[in-house]
Amino acid sequence: MRKLGLLAGVLFLALLVVAGGYGFYWYQVKRQVDAVIAEMRPVMQIEYSGLYVNPLSEIRVNGLRAMPNGQSDSFTIDAISFRSSDPLFLMDPGGAFEKGRFPDQASMAVEGFGINLNSPWLRELEQQAQLMEGTDFISPEALGCGDISRLDLAALGEMNIRRMNMDFYTVFQFDELMGEIRADSDIQMRDFASVGTSARLTVPAGPISPEMMMGTMRMNRLAFNYTDSGYNQRKAEFCAARAGVSQEEYLELHAGLFRQWLMGEGIYLDDILSDLYLELNRPDARLEFIISPPGGVGPEIVMMAQNVDALLERLNPVLNVNDRTLLLRDINWEDLLQAPVVRSPAAVSEPASESVAESDEVASISDQEAFAEADPVERLDQDPNPVESGQMGEVADEVAMLMPGIPARPTERPERRFQATSPDDLGQYTGLPVRFYTVMGKRVEGRLISLEDGNLRVEQRVNRGVAEYPVSLDRISALEVYR
């Protein structure tokens, strides 16, 4: 009995020590949470219903409600959670960063972030922004949308978008021995769209201070992706109804008017870029923008900012829209951005004589009014000063003279397809889709991320993100690149 009593006493003491340690840890975490909330009080009042602390991995704040000062409407967050491979990091993240103590992995999740789009404080912010825009402002996004001048909160309400519910996830991974940093984030706006970013960075291996990290950091890869999950469909339905056209007609109308608006701003959008913009406005559209400079890039990129061609060659940017790939370094951006404003074919004709009859002026005004009242879809193919089809070649030549350096639009575009590629030439196709078979007969298809020391890495889509597939060049066959 004495031994049993002694064992019970030891167990009870150990339980007290564990409970005391957990209580201390929980108190330190709560103090950090309350300190952050206190710092936000000049802007908004924040309350939460519960705090969950797992000393080994996770902190979660449940049931948050925030109300901007002076307002009566609040927004809510179901939960904010933090995870880390280093439990001590969660007690004081700011202090850990200042001391250069980074965890191998840390993540944050914001779930169930809900905002009522009819909130008075949101409408007040919108009104302040509209006062800066002016009464005659027309948002480029609203072009072709009937009598709508901007897709504001009222327009979103008519699209039956009255509340925004979002989830936000971010993951930070740091390999101190290899000096590699990986940061990924994803914002999911339910029934609206999702936006994600992914970065691969390198720093000197070993312990490093925050100042040293910022001064020596190099970017090896940066990716941005956007996926429509409902907004484009609602926008097309709403704007097509306001314009009195079909959804497909509205999409073409909007793309054409947007192209004309850019030309009015001095930016020439060629057929390829215009088609990509049209694709981006279709329901369930997907966009991916990738920068993958060979060998990485650091502060020296600032010295290249004045040379657009050298900058693009160095960054190796690739744009993918609905699985259509465009190498941005192949575009002559300097000529595109310096293109003169040409609003219509009449702009390149010889100036009219000052002795034009008054009747001709009246007729011209009537033509302009008829053009403005025409069916929205027909405006793309009409002009108040029409040019006969036989004159279009001459007009194109004159436009080309006003836009030196911009190549004539090809009548037929080169067809992109998967083509057999030598492994020796693979380095120049970073960022493009590839496919091949391994020696074991497994078929692999994805996007080429990097090629180093005879090893390539391919990015493949998975259910809720992407995964990287590494493979040695001597273990693959039938290598093809989509180019």
Side-chain angles (χ1 to χ4, degrees), residues 211-231:
E211 295 79 11
M212 180 71 72
M213 175 179 287
M214 296 304 298
T216 60
M217 185 179 296
R218 299 187 65 79
M219 180 187 70
N220 294 328
R221 185 174 185 271
L222 179 65
F224 168 85
N225 63 79
Y226 168 86
T227 303
D228 172 69
S229 56
Y231 173 69

Side-chain angles (χ1 to χ4, degrees), residues 39-110:
E39 292 178 356
M40 298 296 294
R41 284 174 184 165
V43 180
M44 63 181 64
Q45 303 299 313
I46 303 177
E47 300 176 349
Y48 63 94
S49 62
L51 176 65
Y52 167 81
V53 177
N54 181 341
L56 298 180
S57 61
E58 182 181 10
I59 295 172
R60 187 170 67 248
V61 184
N62 297 316
L64 290 96
R65 181 178 296 274
M67 181 180 298
N69 291 340
Q71 302 294 334
S72 59
D73 200 5
S74 61
F75 59 87
T76 60
I77 301 176
D78 293 344
I80 300 179
S81 60
F82 304 88
R83 292 175 178 268
S84 173
S85 57
D86 179 7
L88 297 179
F89 174 80
L90 295 176
M91 294 180 63
D92 186 9
F97 274 120
E98 291 178 0
K99 297 176 182 178
R101 193 179 77 243
F102 306 103
D104 294 337
Q105 180 170 322
S107 65
M108 181 181 73
V110 179

Side-chain angles (χ1 to χ4, degrees), residues 371-394:
F371 174 70
E373 296 175 358
D375 184 89
V377 178
E378 295 177 357
R379 294 183 193 174
L380 293 179
D381 301 318
Q382 294 181 2
D383 192 282
N385 302 292
V387 179
E388 297 297 332
S389 59
Q391 299 175 334
M392 290 306 295
E394 299 177 4

Side-chain angles (χ1 to χ4, degrees), residues 275-289:
D275 287 348
L276 288 179
Y277 180 77
L278 174 62
E279 289 297 316
L280 186 59
N281 281 277
R282 295 190 182 280
D284 302 321
R286 301 180 309 280
L287 176 144
E288 187 175 34
F289 176 71

Side-chain angles (χ1 to χ4, degrees), residues 414-434:
E415 181 182 357
R416 292 183 179 271
R417 55 187 175 82
F418 279 102
Q419 302 181 44
T421 304
S422 170
D424 297 334
D425 300 330
L426 199 58
Q428 60 182 307
Y429 299 119
T430 302
L432 296 182
V434 297

Side-chain angles (χ1 to χ4, degrees), residues 64-66 73-79 110-117 119 121-122 162-168 188 190:
L64 290 96
R65 181 178 296 274
D73 200 5
S74 61
F75 59 87
T76 60
I77 301 176
D78 293 344
V110 179
E111 300 175 299
F113 178 58
I115 300 179
N116 179 11
L117 298 184
S119 297
W121 61 275
L122 268 182
R162 299 181 176 87
R163 183 175 179 83
M164 187 67 68
N165 296 297
M166 296 180 286
D167 300 316
F168 171 75
Q188 299 179 2
R190 303 174 194 171

